[in-house]
Amino acid sequence: DEGSRRRWKEEICGILREIQAPLAPILLRLCHWMLPKLLSRLFLSVQLHREQLEMLLQAARRPQAPLVFLCSHRSQLDGPLLSFLLLSQGIGVPRVTVGTRMGPRLRSLLQCLGGIFLPSGMVWTRRDRDEGLPGAVLDAYVQEVLRSRQPLVIFLEEPPSSLRLSDPARLWMLRVLRALRDGAVPDVLVIPVGIAYDVAP
């Protein structure tokens, strides 16, 4: 009935608000203006491998295949740094998966800059169990991100770095595999990214 449909819609919209917020263009411009100034104060230099950057730009021009970046994670600065690099190379604003441990203000700021979060209560289990409505909404969200060819950045570990795949990374990667299995996208380009610091900030 109409009341039940409205309740389901409100619940789905609430889950989507937990996952993402609309991008804030003014905030993105401000952040990408400030980030080089911050980086020049923190580091002597930021280095990119030119040949690998050329390969990345060639991959980004390939039609019909969304880009999925699988990244090492050394610092909380990795997400803004990678987002800045991709945007400055004309690849677009990526959707960056963000860890769960942070305050509500920082969370809402990162969401406006392209950060995406797991819905509350989602945990990784080895058994393939029903994740209910939050899992279904997250599956549909990742499928839509891939279909619209927005770059997706998945950090494989939680800083301080450990050498094992983090549980949030498992949940995000499971969504990408399901999107491929269900035929939401015919293919994805998986790009490994290594970020290293002489001294982690």
Side-chain angles (χ1 to χ4, degrees):
D1 63 351
E2 192 60 39
S4 173
R5 197 175 303 150
R6 194 178 307 116
R7 278 196 307 277
W8 279 110
K9 186 176 178 182
E10 286 171 7
E11 197 170 336
I12 290 168
C13 288
I15 294 168
L16 278 172
R17 278 191 298 273
E18 282 187 63
I19 296 171
Q20 72 150 27
L23 293 172
I26 293 173
L27 201 55
L28 275 167
R29 282 193 204 105
L30 179 66
C31 182
H32 287 96
W33 173 78
M34 282 178 33
L35 196 60
K37 296 175 182 0
L38 174 68
L39 292 174
S40 66
R41 297 221 184 257
L42 286 175
F43 306 113
L44 292 175
S45 67
V46 176
Q47 298 176 358
L48 293 173
H49 196 284
R50 283 248 181 252
E51 287 81 22
Q52 291 176 353
L53 188 59
E54 283 301 319
M55 288 170 38
L56 171 64
L57 293 173
Q58 285 176 6
R61 287 190 287 268
R62 186 173 153 193
Q64 305 302 321
L67 303 176
V68 177
F69 297 89
L70 299 181
C71 308
S72 59
H73 203 7
R74 300 288 176 252
S75 155
Q76 297 298 344
L77 194 59
D78 295 348
L81 176 64
L82 195 56
S83 178
F84 168 73
L85 290 174
L86 294 175
L87 187 59
S88 67
Q89 296 301 315
I91 293 175
V93 180
R95 287 297 180 170
V96 181
T97 62
V98 183
T100 53
R101 291 172 265 155
M102 63 187 54
R105 285 187 181 157
L106 181 58
R107 181 182 175 118
S108 64
L109 173 68
L110 290 175
Q111 281 182 316
C112 291
L113 295 172
I116 54 176
F117 294 80
L118 291 170
S120 57
M122 287 201 68
V123 293
W124 167 259
T125 60
R126 295 199 177 277
R127 293 181 300 280
D128 189 19
R129 65 180 182 83
D130 181 21
E131 294 166 326
L133 188 59
V137 172
L138 188 61
D139 281 337
Y141 174 79
V142 170
Q143 288 179 11
E144 191 54 40
V145 166
L146 295 175
R147 262 197 297 264
S148 62
R149 298 195 66 224
Q150 295 178 61
L152 178 63
V153 176
I154 300 175
F155 287 109
L156 299 177
E157 54 220 5
E158 293 281 328
S161 65
S162 63
L163 296 175
R164 68 178 192 86
L165 192 63
S166 71
D167 290 344
R170 292 174 197 266
L171 286 167
W172 287 112
M173 288 173 60
L174 179 63
R175 265 63 214 178
V176 173
L177 290 172
R178 283 184 184 165
L180 282 167
R181 181 196 66 194
D182 297 344
V185 286
D187 195 9
V188 296
L189 283 173
V190 176
I191 300 169
V193 177
I195 299 175
Y197 301 93
D198 290 336
V199 177

